[in-house]
Amino acid sequence: MCLHQVHIYVDAVINHMCSSGAGSGYRGTCGSYFNAGIRDFPAVPYSNFDFNDRICKTPSGDIENYSDPVQVRNCRLVGLVDLTQRRDGVRSKIADYMNHLLDIGVAGFRIDASKHIWPQDINAIIGKLNNLNTRWFSQGSRPFIYQEVIDMGGEAVRNYEYFRNGRVTEFRYGAQLGNVLRKWNGEKMANLKSWGENWNLMPSEKAMVFVDNHDNQRGHGSGGASILTFWNPRLYSMAVGFMLAHPYGSTRIMSSYKWPRRIQNGTVIFSSLTTSLWLLVEFIYISLLNS
């Protein structure tokens, strides 16, 4: 008898399509045609009316000032063609995709790059989602949603703007816990008695917490040098063990395979994600799962 289920949470990339410089051809999903230059994705279909080029006000069309929340949401993230989720047709296409995944049994979604989408647009998309499939879940169960919003404090886009939609990634968790276990800035483990919201973390019932993720373990994203990864096996095990034992937030752990890296004059030079093969498995521990 199967005593436990493994729930699947899909990483939904709904902010953008491909790079604006990706050209054209039959290299889309299942060999479908696209032309990034004129914003033509007929297999969806999306046309140039479904992207934010008309409302982005920067000369380049990319985000040029992260202190401007309008730019962060209406302009291209690193050149990726930016969908306009305020259009109901775009919302419906995204919801159709997510509902297909719900119908085949997924339990919820991590919404990638949520800070680059207006929170009310995410809310409208979530409102179009079906309940979970009753073959595997109880009647009326809703998808578990957590949103990727990097907010280390003082950002133009704040994590609390997204609370009504579901859980939000708490990037400060891993950064601050890393400081404690490394004993930086005079920190020590005894200080963890007050761990949680008293450390200026978001409310526990809204937080998705993790020691590291696929970005900041490679020097991307947020957290900086304090982030603990499998390259620091003793401290990393301590951090993960503490996170799983502590009641704050919903916890996510991960297992990563080593990737190539070079050391020059004592400094680690991380390989580019575009040229290095890397594999990642993420496990989400939200609650005890019963069959």
Side-chain angles (χ1 to χ4, degrees):
M1 176 183 292
C2 178
L3 299 179
H4 297 287
Q5 300 174 2
V6 175
H7 290 178
I8 305 299
Y9 300 87
V10 170
D11 188 1
V13 182
I14 63 173
N15 173 67
H16 50 261
M17 297 295 280
C18 60
S19 168
S20 57
S24 63
Y26 290 89
R27 294 175 283 116
T29 302
C30 298
S32 59
Y33 176 81
F34 72 96
N35 187 324
I38 61 172
R39 312 292 191 259
D40 183 27
F41 298 84
V44 180
Y46 287 143
S47 71
N48 62 343
F49 294 104
D50 298 316
F51 294 88
N52 275 332
D53 300 278
R54 289 176 173 81
I55 63 173
C56 174
K57 303 301 182 184
T58 66
S60 66
D62 292 341
I63 302 167
E64 298 177 1
N65 178 9
Y66 273 83
S67 296
D68 181 349
V70 176
Q71 277 192 36
V72 171
R73 286 148 167 163
N74 287 350
C75 297
R76 296 192 303 253
L77 169 65
V78 294
L80 299 164
V81 290
D82 196 56
L83 285 165
T84 181
Q85 293 86 1
R86 73 184 189 280
R87 286 177 59 89
D88 190 65
V90 173
R91 293 173 177 176
S92 294
K93 282 295 179 183
I94 292 170
D96 287 347
Y97 155 69
M98 297 171 78
N99 279 330
H100 168 69
L101 295 171
L102 292 171
D103 289 346
I104 62 176
V106 307
F109 302 93
R110 169 193 182 269
I111 301 182
D112 179 74
S114 291
K115 72 181 293 181
H116 300 283
I117 307 171
W118 291 96
Q120 62 267 30
D121 293 337
I122 294 178
N123 188 263
I125 292 167
I126 292 172
K128 292 176 177 284
L129 298 185
N130 298 334
N131 290 337
L132 300 184
N133 191 320
T134 54
R135 178 178 176 184
W136 299 284
F137 302 96
S138 58
Q139 186 77 33
S141 297
R142 294 295 294 160
F144 181 90
I145 303 292
Y146 70 105
Q147 303 154 95
E148 186 202 17
V149 179
I150 300 175
D151 179 6
M152 302 301 289
E155 305 271 352
V157 174
R158 303 308 308 272
N159 52 34
Y160 60 77
E161 299 177 60
Y162 294 82
F163 286 172
R164 68 169 176 159
N165 298 330
R167 298 238 176 198
V168 179
T169 51
E170 179 52 282
F171 277 84
R172 291 172 295 190
Y173 187 99
Q176 294 186 22
L177 187 57
N179 278 331
V180 174
L181 293 180
R182 293 179 188 275
K183 301 179 180 179
W184 288 358
N185 305 321
E187 295 286 4
K188 54 186 178 181
M189 290 195 69
N191 297 341
L192 293 174
K193 292 178 181 178
S194 62
W195 182 250
E197 295 169 20
N198 290 333
W199 287 61
N200 200 32
L201 301 178
M202 70 178 68
S204 177
E205 69 274 11
K206 295 299 182 183
M208 172 61 74
V209 301
F210 45 93
V211 174
D212 64 332
N213 76 347
H214 61 286
D215 282 327
N216 60 23
Q217 72 171 196
R218 290 168 170 78
H220 302 284
S222 295
S226 69
I227 295 298
L228 293 169
T229 71
F230 58 82
W231 295 109
N232 319 104
R234 178 175 171 273
L235 293 181
Y236 187 64
S237 296
M238 291 171 63
V240 172
F242 173 82
M243 177 182 69
L244 292 176
H246 197 278
Y248 175 82
S250 287
T251 56
R252 186 192 72 178
I253 67 173
M254 64 185 297
S255 173
S256 295
Y257 295 83
K258 291 184 179 179
W259 67 91
R261 70 176 187 173
R262 296 177 291 127
I263 299 177
Q264 296 180 357
N265 300 321
T267 301
V268 175
I269 310 297
F270 288 90
S271 299
S272 168
L273 291 181
T274 59
T275 59
S276 297
L277 293 175
W278 59 280
L279 297 172
L280 172 67
V281 180
E282 291 188 350
F283 301 91
I284 304 176
Y285 285 73
I286 296 169
S287 61
L288 294 176
L289 306 178
N290 297 315
S291 59

